Amino acid sequence: MSSKIPRSFEYFLISNDFLAVWLLPVLALVCGGGALYGSGIFGDPVMPENVLTESYMKPVPPALKNADGAAYEGWAGTPRDMSGFIVGQINENLRMADTDTTFEGKPFEDALSLTVIGEAAAPATPSANKAQGITAPSKQAPANAEATVLQKSQDALGRWAKRYWCARQGWDANWSQNIVRPLVARGVGGCSTAERFAAQSPIAAALGLGLGIFILVVLCVLAAVCGYAFFIQIRVREAYQLAYKSNVMGE
């Protein structure tokens, strides 16, 4: 013999109680909205300035100081030139980023060959060989040497960008939040898709890429489960109300 349906469950199904009618859809909307916001789908991070102000240069962030270090021995210019070049590129990209429609990001190392610093990375062809009567084996040798030096400088800048720019390490709060994160999210520096997402997503930017993605997945799953449960609940309520009103289900 089947057991009698509890009154509390019956009331939950047929009543207009707030918990019965609104709880599941509200949870679905909250979780779904949180997932959309957390993914950064509503736009890139805001940049309040379109040029670096003097206050951002005092003090110099550790990431820029590290750009002057001896670890980047491939850089052909003076140590200070490297961080100066980076600051110049950041300013250029900030000016380009006044509106999202006019902005085009680019890796720092790609811009190096188009600058005076990049031209200086190519050493002058030595004249000592000619003075000693030594003939160059090929006309391509000077060009190859120049390309090699420029490539080393680009590689050094690429290593710096990967370690400090794309990973957003070594910057103070103003730089990280207002300059580096928005530009990385817009594609500056040649960062990967995951690194761009980590900069664009408010959750991933605050908690890290792994934990951010986990929370976004949880929010999506909760939104889907609550939405599906609400749909099932509506169908069950309709069937139960029909049976209840037609006296099919008695006391």
Side-chain angles (χ1 to χ4, degrees):
M1 183 176 179
S2 60
S3 59
K4 191 175 179 179
I5 298 178
R7 278 290 184 180
S8 59
F9 181 72
E10 180 180 324
Y11 177 76
F12 177 77
L13 289 175
I14 66 174
S15 70
N16 290 324
D17 182 67
F18 172 82
L19 294 177
V21 178
W22 295 109
L23 179 60
L24 289 176
V26 167
L27 286 176
L29 289 175
V30 169
C31 294
L36 290 175
Y37 171 77
S39 67
I41 197 173
F42 295 120
D44 294 322
V46 176
M47 288 186 297
E49 301 289 343
N50 63 354
V51 65
L52 291 180
T53 61
E54 186 177 353
S55 62
Y56 279 90
M57 303 306 299
K58 296 180 180 179
V60 178
L64 283 181
K65 290 182 179 179
N66 290 332
D68 295 332
Y72 301 95
E73 65 281 354
W75 181 255
T78 63
R80 193 64 190 169
D81 283 342
M82 185 171 180
S83 60
F85 169 80
I86 294 169
V87 171
Q89 286 299 303
I90 292 174
N91 268 322
E92 179 181 345
N93 284 287
L94 285 172
R95 287 190 292 268
M96 294 171 63
D98 290 339
T99 62
D100 291 339
T101 55
T102 61
F103 179 80
E104 293 180 4
K106 56 185 176 181
F108 292 132
E109 55 267 31
D110 286 355
L112 176 61
S113 58
L114 305 177
T115 65
V116 175
I117 298 176
E119 294 174 356
T125 304
S127 57
N129 288 344
K130 185 176 180 181
Q132 296 175 5
I134 301 175
T135 303
S138 170
K139 292 183 179 181
Q140 297 297 324
N144 290 339
E146 293 173 1
T148 300
V149 173
L150 180 58
Q151 185 61 49
K152 286 183 178 180
S153 297
Q154 290 176 321
D155 290 344
L157 191 55
R159 291 196 302 270
W160 176 88
K162 184 173 181 60
R163 182 174 182 180
Y164 295 104
W165 181 260
C166 295
R168 294 182 287 118
Q169 301 294 326
W171 306 95
D172 59 30
N174 287 335
W175 275 86
S176 180
Q177 186 65 25
N178 299 328
I179 304 298
V180 182
R181 181 191 164 202
L183 288 181
V184 170
R186 286 164 170 81
V188 176
C191 303
S192 66
T193 301
E195 290 165 334
R196 290 183 61 179
F197 174 78
Q200 185 171 13
S201 165
I203 295 179
L207 302 177
L209 181 60
L211 184 57
I213 292 178
F214 174 76
I215 292 177
L216 289 176
V217 170
V218 170
L219 289 174
C220 290
V221 170
L222 288 176
V225 169
C226 290
Y228 179 74
F230 176 67
F231 172 76
I232 295 299
Q233 182 197 49
I234 292 298
R235 299 296 298 272
V236 172
R237 281 166 60 85
E238 291 175 353
Y240 194 88
Q241 286 177 342
L242 178 62
Y244 186 84
K245 291 178 180 178
S246 62
N247 292 323
V248 173
M249 300 182 69
E251 296 291 334

